[in-house]
Amino acid sequence: MLAVALIIGRISHLNQKQKKALLTHESLDEERQAKLQTALYQLSMALSSPLSEDDIFQKVVDTLGKVLGYDYANFFMVDEESGARIRKAGFNWPKDLAHDRLLPGQGLSERPLLDGKLHYSPNVSKEPSYVPGIGGSEVDVPVRIGGT
């Protein structure tokens, strides 16, 4: 498993300026930037001890969820054989929503894997590849591990 997609969802607490900055990669306001730096610091501290791969994934989504205030976050890895995205860790993800395995062509998290770019969807229910679940908005971020 080389490619990873991190899904962070339901970010309705962002104002219009923050959403625009997210989409255009503009600078975030000082408060948001400070939160991001705090998250990165806390994550680096948490990852400085020996951890299993699954523990690392869980630390990432927990830190992003708690420090940046996301309602939920998931970490998916791509199975190289099937191309399916397998959920490896989640923050505040409802137990009754399975979505532990997304096949190629399903879900919004496939987009960053195809083009290597961050994707923001302000209303996921309007997206054709959306798999019904929580709804709201979603950010999908590609992360590469161990390869190009």
Side-chain angles (χ1 to χ4, degrees):
M1 293 186 187
L2 294 176
V4 177
L6 173 66
I7 301 176
I8 304 167
R10 204 182 284 177
I11 53 173
S12 56
H13 64 279
L14 294 181
N15 63 37
Q16 290 299 72
K17 182 180 176 184
Q18 291 167 326
K19 288 177 184 178
K20 182 180 180 226
L22 180 66
L23 289 172
T24 61
H25 305 284
E26 292 177 7
S27 297
L28 297 173
D29 60 42
E30 288 180 25
E31 179 184 351
R32 192 83 179 145
Q33 188 65 33
K35 284 184 179 181
L36 180 58
Q37 289 174 343
T38 299
L40 292 173
Y41 173 75
Q42 289 183 1
L43 188 57
S44 67
M45 294 303 292
L47 297 178
S48 65
S49 61
L51 298 169
S52 70
E53 190 176 80
D54 288 341
D55 288 340
I56 290 171
F57 298 148
Q58 193 61 54
K59 291 278 187 192
V60 168
V61 294
D62 286 347
T63 301
L64 288 171
K66 291 174 186 171
V67 175
L68 298 180
Y70 292 113
D71 295 329
Y72 67 89
N74 286 303
F75 203 96
F76 284 83
M77 288 193 69
V78 176
D79 180 292
E80 291 182 75
E81 291 180 25
S82 69
R85 291 172 317 286
I86 312 297
R87 191 166 69 88
K88 302 301 267 181
F91 170 77
N92 281 348
W93 191 248
K95 302 263 189 260
D96 59 335
L97 282 180
H99 302 317
D100 289 334
R101 182 180 183 87
L102 295 170
L103 300 176
Q106 290 182 323
L108 303 177
S109 62
E110 185 173 49
R111 299 175 303 176
L113 298 176
L114 297 174
D115 65 14
K117 297 178 182 176
L118 177 144
H119 287 266
Y120 168 64
S121 302
N123 184 348
V124 294
S125 65
K126 293 183 179 181
E127 301 288 339
S129 61
Y130 171 62
V131 176
I134 293 179
S137 60
E138 181 172 306
V139 175
D140 299 291
V141 182
V143 179
R144 295 268 179 214
I145 297 176
T148 57

